[in-house]
Amino acid sequence: MPLRHSRICKGCWQQMHVPVPLHGVLSVPFRIFGIRPSRMNPNTCTICELMFTKVMRTRKINIDATVLFADLRGYTNLSQSQSPDAMSGLLDAFYDECASAIWECDGLLNKTIGDAVMAVFNFPIKHGDHARQAVLAARAIQQRWSARRKSLTDSLGLAGADLGVGVGIHSGELSFGEFGRSHRDLTAIGTVVNLASRAQTAAAAGEILVTQAVYERAGPELAGSRAHQFQLKGFEAPTMLYAA
Ligand SMILES: [Zn+2]
């Protein structure tokens, strides 16, 4: 499914009310000055990235946001028996489907870590209901991937491979900034990120697990979802997670 890209930068429009064209003839003079769609979210631009970088040179910022982790199950096992080409084709397709789902819900595809992706919602594009947006993105990831998986595993000769996706989501205040000395990395850190990552680990293939905070914020979207207690690594008290 092709992505519907925004014609102007959503970040610049929302924060400064400046229409920065991202596509077509109008964007040409902008591109000469290096202003182009961001690789983390093509509906925002490189000015947006630069703004964050500048803010963060002096200090990190704390934001209320939602973090999503999606992980391709069984990838590591499979990579021991398959060709590197087949495996990278699989991973590219997985990243593509995740990116499309995340961008359609105005999230930032912050990182790809091996066979997992990490996304942040409510930054830089603001959404009052960012927790719900993340849940919608997670469902879209599951739908897109299950539609794509079969033909992909067939064409790559991986028939019978399991390859479901586990997703974890958590909301709250986190720090966004440039961390690391040798390798400067624009990213989010904090307990919210850790718990989202742990929720993802607890999710089975095909499952989406969200925290109490996400459950409360997402409202009717998660009405009737079942909760279970999990003992997550690094967290002393048991954590309640809801299936979305
Ligand atoms: Zn912008």
Side-chain angles (χ1 to χ4, degrees):
M1 198 193 297
L3 250 185
R4 298 180 305 274
H5 284 307
S6 176
R7 291 170 59 157
I8 62 164
C9 170
K10 286 190 177 182
C12 287
W13 181 251
Q14 196 175 54
Q15 277 158 45
M16 303 181 289
H17 279 276
V18 178
V20 174
L22 295 177
H23 304 281
V25 217
L26 288 176
S27 71
V28 173
F30 286 84
R31 283 180 189 242
I32 291 168
F33 291 101
I35 300 164
R36 57 186 69 245
S38 161
R39 285 197 298 178
M40 290 200 267
N41 181 329
N43 294 324
T44 63
C45 75
T46 42
I47 305 177
C48 290
E49 281 181 6
L50 204 67
M51 269 188 326
F52 311 142
T53 312
K54 271 187 185 151
V55 172
M56 286 146 200
R57 284 254 159 77
T58 46
R59 60 188 171 88
K60 61 183 174 22
I61 57 165
N62 292 326
I63 52 167
D64 179 52
T66 299
V67 177
L68 174 156
F69 279 88
D71 175 82
L72 189 54
R73 301 279 189 254
Y75 180 84
T76 314
N77 267 345
L78 198 63
S79 64
Q80 286 161 8
S81 58
Q82 300 299 327
S83 75
D85 278 358
M87 294 316 285
S88 66
L90 194 64
L91 212 49
D92 283 346
F94 174 64
Y95 289 163
D96 283 353
E97 297 303 334
C98 287
S100 300
I102 290 159
W103 292 337
E104 274 173 8
C105 297
D106 287 338
L108 186 74
L109 176 56
N110 190 204
K111 271 172 187 266
T112 56
I113 315 137
D115 50 9
V117 304
M118 171 185 158
V120 178
F121 295 79
N122 206 31
F123 187 81
I125 302 173
K126 302 260 183 239
H127 256 290
D129 64 346
H130 50 88
R132 183 174 157 266
Q133 293 298 322
V135 169
L136 296 179
R139 288 177 182 162
I141 287 172
Q142 295 292 13
Q143 281 159 11
R144 282 173 168 273
W145 184 244
S146 60
R148 181 91 183 259
R149 192 169 79 184
K150 177 83 173 73
S151 64
L152 202 66
T153 48
D154 285 354
S155 70
L156 293 172
L158 305 174
D162 198 2
L163 297 170
V165 180
V167 184
I169 309 175
H170 184 36
S171 277
E173 192 173 278
L174 53 83
S175 298
F176 208 94
E178 274 196 310
F179 304 102
R181 282 180 181 277
S182 53
H183 173 69
R184 306 286 282 173
D185 201 6
L186 189 65
T187 191
I189 60 165
T191 315
V192 172
V193 180
N194 298 341
L195 187 48
S197 167
R198 290 302 179 203
Q200 174 267 111
T201 314
E207 197 173 32
I208 301 164
L209 289 181
V210 311
T211 60
Q212 181 90 33
V214 175
Y215 174 76
E216 283 165 9
R217 290 175 183 217
E221 202 62 57
L222 293 180
S225 73
R226 286 161 169 256
H228 288 284
Q229 278 198 337
F230 289 84
Q231 195 64 54
L232 301 177
K233 197 179 164 196
F235 292 83
E236 262 185 45
T239 308
M240 194 69 100
L241 295 176
Y242 296 75

